[in-house]
């Protein structure tokens, strides 16, 4: 079922969303200071291409630098990408087949706003509980 959902996702909006993340990543690679933002954007582009079967979990090692970086990301690119997810979700929710895709888009909004300090893992390997977060 994940394969079918991922293929539908790719056709009905996933490719455009991943392209948005990739463009944001390329813009971030212009300056040396913003390279960590570019890496996060490319990581999210990869996730936006094939989201079903994977999930985003917080990193235990993320600290103040990630929080400050997320504030900068939110101002520069995060809200644009989140808006793209919301608009795409509204368009997908019009059809019955698109409802799971719309739900996945809404789940991507918080991560598109604040991508630093998170990692993408397989849904089967998702840690359970607050003490089992990955190092």
């Amino acid at each position: 079922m994940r394969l079918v959902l991922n293929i539908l996702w790719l056709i009905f909006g996933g490719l455009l969303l991943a392209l948005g993340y990739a463009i944001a990543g390329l813009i971030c690679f212009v300056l040396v200071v913003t390279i960590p933002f570019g890496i996060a954007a490319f990581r999210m582009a990869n996730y936006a291409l094939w989201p079903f079967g994977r999930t985003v979990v917080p990193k235990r090692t993320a600290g103040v630098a990630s929080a400050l970086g997320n504030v900068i990301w939110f101002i520069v690119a995060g809200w644009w990408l989140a808006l793209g997810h919301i608009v795409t979700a509204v368009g997908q929710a019009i059809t019955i087949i698109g409802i799971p895709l719309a739900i996945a888009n809404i789940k991507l909004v918080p991560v598109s706003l604040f991508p630093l300090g998170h990692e993408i893992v397989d849904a089967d390997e998702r840690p359970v509980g607050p003490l089992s977060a990955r190092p």
Side-chain angles (χ1 to χ4, degrees), residues 21 29 40 45 63-64 85 132 134:
Y21 281 109
F29 271 95
V64 177
H85 282 294
S132 63
R134 296 177 172 264

Side-chain angles (χ1 to χ4, degrees), residues 54-79:
R54 299 191 292 173
T55 189
V56 178
V57 295
K59 282 185 183 178
R60 248 175 73 187
T61 58
V64 177
S66 292
L68 291 174
N70 278 330
V71 170
I72 295 168
W73 174 266
F74 176 81
I75 294 168
V76 175
W79 71 277

Side-chain angles (χ1 to χ4, degrees), residues 32-133:
V32 173
V33 177
T34 55
I35 288 176
F37 300 113
I39 293 170
F42 283 126
R43 187 175 51 230
M44 287 303 298
N46 182 17
Y47 184 53
L49 274 176
W50 209 255
F52 293 97
R54 299 191 292 173
T55 189
V56 178
V57 295
K59 282 185 183 178
R60 248 175 73 187
T61 58
V64 177
S66 292
L68 291 174
N70 278 330
V71 170
I72 295 168
W73 174 266
F74 176 81
I75 294 168
V76 175
W79 71 277
W80 284 102
L81 293 168
L83 185 63
H85 282 294
I86 292 168
V87 169
T88 306
V90 168
Q92 290 170 337
I94 293 172
T95 65
I96 292 174
I97 294 173
I99 290 174
L101 306 178
I103 292 170
N105 257 317
I106 297 301
K107 287 181 181 179
L108 284 171
V109 169
V111 180
S112 68
L113 289 172
F114 307 109
L116 301 174
H118 293 91
E119 66 181 337
I120 300 165
V121 297
D122 287 335
D124 300 333
E125 298 175 14
R126 182 178 183 180
V128 179
L131 299 177
S132 63

